[in-house]
Amino acid sequence: MEEIIKILVVEDDEVDRMAVRRALKKAGLLVEMAEAINCQSAMEALAPWTVVFEEQEATAALVGSLGGKYSEGMRHSGAAYTTKYSPGQQNGRNELKLIPSNYPSAALNPTNFDCVLLDYRLPDGDGLALVKAVRRAGIKVPLVVLTGQGDEQIAVDLMKAGASDYLPKSKVSPETLSRSLRHAVRIYRAEREAELATQRLRESEERYRLVLEGSNDGIWDLDMVTQEIYCNDRLYEIIGLSPSEHQITSELFFERLHLEDQDRVKQAVDAHLQDLVELNLEFRLLHTSGEYRYCIARGKAQRDVQGNPLRMSGVVSDITQRKRAEESLRFLAEASTLLSASLDYQTTLENLAKLAVPRLADWCAIDVVRPDLTYSRLAVAHVNPEKEKFVWELQRRYPPKGDEDYGYPKVLRTGKSYAQFDVSDEFLTTVARDPGHLELFRRLNHKSYICVPLQVGDKTLGSISFVWSESGRRYTQADLELAEDLARRAALAAENAKLYLEAQEASQSLRQVVTILDQQQQQLRTLQQLTNLLNQRLTNLPCLLREMVGALVKTIPGAQFCFIMLKNPQCNGLLLSVTAGIGTEKLRFEDALPPSLRDAPPNPQPAWRQLAQVRVQARWQHQTR
């Protein structure tokens, strides 16, 4: 079914309009026709709210009337509009523009007509002025000019101004009119479809570009024939290169892959090209800063009819932040387990230093605040154990003065973290006290430095210094936050270990006090028992003495045996001896008497006074506590 053609006929003569209608009908065209009698009504029909007209001497009145009517019409309609009138000369022409501020461009919203048939002679202007006005307004509808004059110059001017065709009225027939209209409409519709397709493509490309920019991914496209690679700026940014200074090639890309990932990436690409295996893999790319960035690449090959790959395109996503977050969580979990493994204060901090190297630093030092408010280095770890001595020497030879504005002395003094993400040789020269100090700095090869406090509440227990040196890596704000989190956990573990040690010492002291009190109570009970025995005035002296030695052996801690000897002064012999304890059968009491008792003359004192010569001895061993 033939499509209906919508035509606007601009003709002030009713007879000519009827002739056009008859010709169209006779030509067998399915048309929908609208009529306009002058330039003003034609512009109203084509673009009700947009007028762009060239003012020439012959059409000055027309422009003024158009402006007045359009302005008045828009005021009555309530539409928002902008009026721009320039009376000055612009390329030899004056302009009048009446454009509503909320009305889209005519190029994006073409008129509803498929073609315009207009007479060259109109009451308020000529066809040339109208053609120019229509084209200046951005209206691309075909314009076929009918004229009673056969002037070729007019035809040339009309075609240059944008007319689609020029027909003298004397030669108009149903066939010529039909042929001209069909040709003009066919071209117009094709151009409009192409323009709409281009616009849709442009919008699609814009949406695609916005999606890609929003996804923050690097885009790559590899020509399998020429091996040329196109990469967007984001991919250059992931690697750390400048697009204006470097060109990414296959060789450069594989050189920047981590050694452990190169074979795996090559195998994945070959599997995709040869066996159609999905290309989706993770790898590490070397950034110009010296650190490796974690990336995920996804791609797909475009193939010819035989299945041979022609090109391969895809994206590279930087997942470094996500991987670091995952590693940080694993690291902190491992650190918590390690820190809780020991309740010894120094062991806890030594374990912390060893844990940090090499995962968080090339070398690490832990300094603590002593009770007298001096600073002491407690633990050191280095990826190269031979260089640990330089870390110890640095603190021994150049201890903090207390007023430094950098490093761990400032952290211990203020309780706030300190970071020097990029340590330059100029900075080291500035803070070094003497050439020896600078030499130690250079031996330890400071490249990046952060220091965080070990704090519990408002109390600063110490600090942890982390340094990148041999690896050439640089700390970031995220690394500083991770170090602070680690320090908080370490501070709690160290404080718990310290409190446990203090509790153990207090418990040991308490046990010693209790032991002493128990011994004193036992001795008091023994004395009380002896007093009770004496008060009973036992007539059986040996029985009394045996009770005494038995009580003494039990009372004195660590005593092996105890004995009492009663000497007879009349015969210089033993009158009585009693023993208690271990190994008493080997005792020779005569040898135990001192010479003064062995050789003493007979004592005329009564027997009961002889008790004064009773010798009590006990033997015990000191136990090592």
Side-chain angles (χ1 to χ4, degrees):
M1 182 176 180
E2 188 176 0
E3 189 175 354
I4 297 176
I5 300 176
K6 298 179 181 180
I7 299 176
L8 173 65
V9 178
V10 184
E11 175 63 69
D12 61 322
D13 190 328
E14 178 63 27
V15 174
D16 289 343
R17 290 200 301 271
M18 292 177 62
V20 169
R21 284 196 294 269
R22 286 195 300 269
L24 292 174
K25 184 176 181 181
K26 189 174 182 181
L29 294 176
L30 295 177
V31 298
E32 233 179 58
M33 193 170 69
E35 297 178 350
I37 60 173
N38 52 33
C39 295
Q40 178 177 312
S41 59
M43 289 300 299
E44 289 177 350
L46 291 174
W49 301 110
T50 302
V51 177
V52 180
F53 213 83
E54 291 185 0
E55 183 178 4
Q56 299 178 351
E57 292 182 359
T59 58
L62 169 63
V63 175
S65 63
L66 279 175
K69 181 173 181 180
Y70 270 56
S71 300
E72 186 66 24
M74 285 188 286
R75 288 192 187 97
H76 287 302
S77 67
Y81 67 94
T82 301
T83 303
K84 177 181 178 182
Y85 177 69
S86 174
Q89 293 295 323
Q90 297 182 1
N91 298 325
R93 295 185 293 270
N94 292 334
E95 295 181 354
L96 173 66
K97 294 184 179 179
L98 300 174
I99 303 173
S101 59
N102 61 346
Y103 193 79
S105 170
L108 299 180
N109 295 273
T111 179
N112 290 326
F113 295 106
D114 295 315
C115 187
V116 177
L117 286 173
L118 62 94
D119 187 12
Y120 182 77
R121 292 292 181 184
L122 295 170
D124 54 354
D126 59 30
L128 182 60
L130 181 59
V131 169
K132 291 181 179 181
V134 170
R135 294 299 183 234
R136 287 178 62 83
I139 302 173
K140 298 181 180 180
V141 64
L143 302 173
V144 178
V145 182
L146 303 176
T147 178
Q149 302 175 0
D151 192 341
E152 294 184 359
Q153 183 60 43
I154 293 177
V156 171
D157 292 340
L158 286 169
M159 299 301 288
K160 286 183 177 180
S164 301
D165 202 357
Y166 172 81
L167 296 175
K169 291 182 179 179
S170 59
K171 298 182 179 180
V172 172
S173 66
E175 293 77 13
T176 58
L177 185 60
S178 172
R179 182 171 57 252
S180 178
L181 287 177
R182 290 180 186 276
H183 178 70
V185 170
R186 183 172 62 253
I187 294 177
Y188 170 62
R189 287 178 175 176
E191 290 178 348
R192 187 170 62 180
E193 289 298 325
E195 183 178 353
L196 291 175
T198 301
Q199 179 65 20
R200 287 193 293 268
L201 178 61
R202 189 180 298 112
E203 292 174 354
S204 177
E205 290 176 347
E206 180 66 16
R207 285 194 298 270
Y208 182 64
R209 184 185 64 81
L210 292 175
V211 168
L212 292 180
E213 290 180 356
S215 67
N216 202 29
D217 289 336
I219 310 299
W220 55 273
D221 180 78
L222 171 64
D223 189 319
M224 304 298 295
V225 178
T226 64
Q227 291 299 304
E228 293 181 355
I229 299 180
Y230 162 77
C231 302
N232 68 345
D233 292 345
R234 174 56 182 154
L235 186 55
Y236 280 92
E237 182 182 343
I238 291 174
I239 302 178
L241 299 176
S242 171
S244 60
E245 299 176 0
H246 298 85
Q247 177 66 38
I248 294 181
T249 62
S250 301
E251 292 76 12
L252 184 145
F253 182 83
F254 277 97
E255 285 176 1
R256 290 189 169 269
L257 283 173
H258 195 283
L259 290 176
E260 298 177 359
D261 299 334
Q262 290 182 358
D263 291 340
R264 186 165 53 83
V265 171
K266 291 179 180 179
Q267 292 171 4
V269 173
D270 292 341
H272 176 70
L273 295 177
Q274 298 173 10
D275 303 325
L276 304 180
V277 177
E278 180 184 8
L279 181 61
N280 189 340
L281 74 160
E282 182 179 320
F283 51 84
R284 289 160 290 180
L285 273 178
L286 180 63
H287 192 269
T288 52
S289 64
E291 68 171 342
Y292 279 95
R293 311 286 294 183
Y294 287 89
C295 300
I296 288 182
R298 293 175 292 273
K300 190 172 184 180
Q302 179 183 355
R303 304 173 186 273
D304 58 18
V305 292
Q306 287 79 28
N308 300 316
L310 298 176
R311 66 189 321 109
M312 188 162 63
S313 305
V315 297
V316 174
S317 304
D318 187 350
I319 59 170
T320 304
Q321 296 300 326
R322 190 187 78 189
K323 295 291 290 187
R324 284 181 177 174
E326 294 173 355
E327 290 180 353
S328 297
L329 291 176
R330 286 195 297 268
F331 176 72
L332 291 174
E334 183 180 343
S336 299
T337 302
L338 183 62
L339 292 172
S340 61
S342 174
L343 289 174
D344 180 72
Y345 179 70
Q346 181 155 352
T347 301
T348 299
L349 296 181
E350 289 175 350
N351 289 341
L352 175 62
K354 293 176 182 177
L355 177 68
V357 176
R359 300 174 67 173
L360 199 57
D362 288 329
W363 64 267
C364 172
I366 299 179
D367 300 272
V368 296
V369 181
R370 295 200 174 276
D372 59 357
L373 300 183
T374 59
Y375 307 146
S376 174
R377 183 148 291 175
L378 196 64
V380 165
H382 199 294
V383 289
N384 184 358
E386 295 181 357
K387 289 191 175 183
E388 289 185 2
K389 61 183 179 182
F390 298 130
V391 184
W392 290 108
E393 185 179 356
L394 184 64
Q395 198 274 343
R396 179 179 57 81
R397 289 178 55 186
Y398 301 97
K401 294 180 179 180
D403 58 350
E404 289 88 347
D405 196 34
Y406 69 92
Y408 76 93
K410 181 179 181 180
V411 174
L412 292 173
R413 187 180 72 253
T414 63
K416 298 184 180 299
S417 299
Y418 174 84
Q420 191 76 22
F421 294 142
D422 193 356
V423 179
S424 63
D425 193 68
E426 291 77 12
F427 174 78
L428 296 178
T429 304
T430 302
V431 301
R433 301 180 191 175
D434 56 42
H437 199 187
L438 181 60
E439 178 63 22
L440 277 177
F441 278 144
R442 288 174 175 170
R443 283 187 176 184
L444 291 171
N445 195 21
H446 292 67
K447 296 297 183 185
S448 188
Y449 175 91
I450 57 176
C451 185
V452 293
L454 291 169
Q455 280 185 319
V456 177
D458 296 331
K459 181 181 179 182
T460 301
L461 306 178
S463 68
I464 315 176
S465 300
F466 302 93
V467 181
W468 286 127
S469 55
E470 277 77 358
S471 66
R473 295 175 60 182
R474 297 295 187 274
Y475 288 110
T476 63
Q477 184 64 33
D479 295 322
L480 180 61
E481 294 172 359
L482 173 62
E484 290 174 338
D485 197 346
L486 176 63
R488 284 190 289 269
R489 298 173 187 236
L492 289 175
E495 181 70 4
N496 290 339
K498 195 173 182 180
L499 293 175
Y500 177 78
L501 179 60
E502 293 175 355
Q504 289 292 97
E505 292 175 351
S507 178
Q508 181 65 21
S509 299
L510 181 60
R511 283 195 296 270
Q512 292 176 356
V513 170
V514 171
T515 301
I516 294 173
L517 289 176
D518 288 342
Q519 293 173 0
Q520 292 178 351
Q521 290 177 357
Q522 181 65 25
Q523 292 171 3
L524 289 174
R525 285 194 295 270
T526 301
L527 292 175
Q528 184 65 40
Q529 291 173 2
L530 294 176
T531 302
N532 292 338
L533 291 174
L534 293 173
N535 289 337
Q536 292 175 7
R537 298 182 180 181
L538 294 176
T539 56
N540 190 342
L541 182 58
C543 182
L544 174 61
L545 296 179
R546 279 194 295 272
E547 291 288 341
M548 291 178 64
V549 296
L552 288 172
V553 169
K554 295 178 181 178
T555 302
I556 300 175
Q560 291 181 322
F561 61 85
C562 179
F563 65 87
I564 298 177
M565 296 183 299
L566 185 60
K567 178 196 171 196
N568 186 348
Q570 296 180 354
C571 62
N572 261 347
L574 288 175
L575 179 64
L576 180 63
S577 65
V578 291
T579 62
I582 302 172
T584 54
E585 67 278 358
K586 299 179 180 180
L587 294 176
R588 295 181 62 187
F589 296 106
E590 292 81 1
D591 296 337
L593 289 173
S596 60
L597 290 180
R598 293 179 194 169
D599 304 331
N603 191 345
Q605 293 179 352
W608 63 272
R609 297 282 293 178
Q610 295 174 7
L611 288 173
Q613 296 177 348
V614 173
R615 183 172 182 83
V616 181
Q617 292 190 359
R619 179 182 176 186
W620 67 90
Q621 292 180 341
H622 293 286
Q623 297 178 348
T624 303
R625 295 180 177 85

